[in-house]
Amino acid sequence: MKVDVGPDPSLVYRPDVDLELAKDKDSFRNYTAGPLLDRVFTTYKLMHTHQTVDFVSRKHIQFGSFSHKKMTVMEVVNLLDDLVDESDPDVDFPNSFHAFQTAEGIRKAHPDKDWFHLVGLLHDLGKILALWGEPQWAVVGDTFPVGCRPQASVVFRESTFQDNPDLRDPRYSTELGMYQPHCGLENVLMSWGHDEYLYRMMKFNKFSLPPEAFYMIRFHSFYPWHTGGDYLQLCSQQDLDMLPWVQEFNKFDLYTKSPELPDVDSLRPYYQGLIDKYCPGILSW
């Protein structure tokens, strides 16, 4: 398949990062070539067709009671051994390894912020949705606000939204759509996926993490905002104040991806200690 999409706009921005954490930065998030491109494009085409205001609202109702299952954090980490993210052009190995890679990258750079280390481990646990029968286009990939026109830096924007009914609805097809200027991202309906699910799950279970952690979880896949510089018309001052934290997290989420997999068994005791501190016990998922 030949896909005429141009370069990923997020490549314009890359935070400085310890070279020991990274391979060649321009080889990440390559949406124009590579062995996984067809799989990635198909996932985004489905996402950009079906993620609508109505769909997202229904998912909030379906999963908002967190009555699906009772599990500990580490049980969910283990379950991600069975998941490979079909939207990711960088990796083709189980997601649990990426969780520990991200956490260890953060731990090395920020040894004094143990809550930040835990965010690295937690950030993709919402992908458990894919193991409960949800299609990957409703679980993984870059997120974006529904209820307004997608902006320029949304991946594959020009080639994947043609069949989205919201873009033919005058309530949702303008730059602001159904929102007021600078209403704040807490009042924005984000496309449904692992970020939004886990953010809400953490709130429901009363994780004792700082506000920065909740922003990182909810918006780490919102590349059009934290990397593309779009959707600022929706942002409050609080959002702008939190943006550097999301960007700081992102460089570890992105640049620690490596086929050199960590020795997970040796790391588990440390991270279990953080789980016991900030989100202990059997949780509602």
Side-chain angles (χ1 to χ4, degrees):
M1 179 187 70
K2 185 177 187 297
V3 183
D4 182 17
V5 293
D8 170 23
S10 77
L11 294 176
V12 173
Y13 170 81
R14 284 292 179 257
D16 292 334
V17 62
D18 186 336
L19 291 178
E20 291 181 16
L21 297 178
K23 63 178 182 179
D24 175 29
K25 296 178 186 179
D26 287 343
S27 65
F28 285 103
R29 288 181 58 81
N30 183 343
Y31 292 98
T32 60
L36 305 177
L37 180 61
D38 283 4
R39 185 184 77 183
V40 172
F41 180 81
T42 297
T43 301
Y44 276 103
K45 175 64 175 173
L46 290 166
M47 179 195 306
H48 293 166
T49 297
H50 298 297
Q51 290 272 4
T52 63
V53 171
D54 179 66
F55 173 79
V56 173
S57 299
R58 285 188 282 114
K59 288 299 174 183
H60 283 198
I61 295 169
Q62 179 181 352
F63 289 103
S65 64
F66 301 97
S67 56
H68 194 88
K69 204 159 185 180
K70 299 280 191 180
M71 293 182 287
T72 67
V73 165
M74 201 59 84
E75 284 176 320
V76 178
V77 172
N78 294 339
L79 286 173
L80 292 185
D81 281 335
D82 297 324
L83 177 68
V84 173
D85 184 336
E86 293 178 0
S87 76
D88 194 332
D90 298 325
V91 298
D92 200 16
F93 52 79
N95 220 239
S96 60
F97 289 104
H98 169 59
F100 282 101
Q101 286 174 335
T102 304
E104 284 296 283
I106 295 168
R107 183 181 178 188
K108 180 178 179 181
H110 297 278
D112 59 327
K113 294 181 176 65
D114 66 350
W115 62 267
F116 197 178
H117 312 166
L118 182 60
V119 169
L121 185 75
L122 296 174
H123 76 282
D124 277 348
L125 294 190
K127 292 180 182 180
I128 190 70
L129 292 171
L131 302 181
W132 294 340
E134 291 298 292
Q136 288 223 6
W137 59 262
V139 179
V140 302
D142 292 5
T143 58
F144 58 95
V146 296
C148 61
R149 186 174 64 227
Q151 294 207 262
S153 63
V154 175
V155 169
F156 299 130
R157 186 189 72 149
E158 298 301 326
S159 54
T160 53
F161 279 96
Q162 294 91 331
D163 298 323
N164 187 305
D166 281 3
L167 299 192
R168 297 189 293 273
D169 188 323
R171 294 174 298 171
Y172 306 140
S173 57
T174 63
E175 182 175 86
L176 280 171
M178 65 182 189
Y179 305 110
Q180 296 299 313
H182 307 293
C183 60
L185 294 179
E186 74 272 16
N187 297 310
V188 168
L189 199 61
M190 296 297 296
S191 59
W192 179 254
H194 70 283
D195 302 51
E196 189 68 21
Y197 168 75
L198 185 62
Y199 163 76
R200 292 173 179 271
M201 178 270 177
M202 289 166 56
K203 289 284 191 182
F204 185 87
N205 287 278
K206 297 181 171 60
F207 283 27
S208 59
L209 290 165
E212 293 86 349
F214 287 91
Y215 261 80
M216 291 172 185
I217 294 295
R218 191 180 188 201
F219 299 119
H220 72 271
S221 300
F222 190 11
Y223 275 84
W225 174 59
H226 66 62
T227 294
D230 281 334
Y231 295 102
L232 296 181
Q233 74 275 15
L234 302 178
C235 291
S236 65
Q237 186 58 50
Q238 181 186 26
D239 299 326
L240 299 180
D241 291 343
M242 288 290 180
L243 177 56
W245 281 102
V246 179
Q247 291 170 332
E248 178 67 9
F249 171 79
N250 173 249
K251 67 188 185 185
F252 299 102
D253 183 17
L254 186 61
Y255 296 135
T256 56
K257 293 174 183 175
S258 167
E260 297 177 9
L261 303 181
D263 180 359
V264 167
D265 289 341
S266 69
L267 299 175
R268 285 183 190 277
Y270 174 72
Y271 288 98
Q272 185 61 57
L274 299 185
I275 292 166
D276 294 342
K277 180 177 178 181
Y278 291 107
C279 46
I282 299 173
L283 306 174
S284 300
W285 295 80

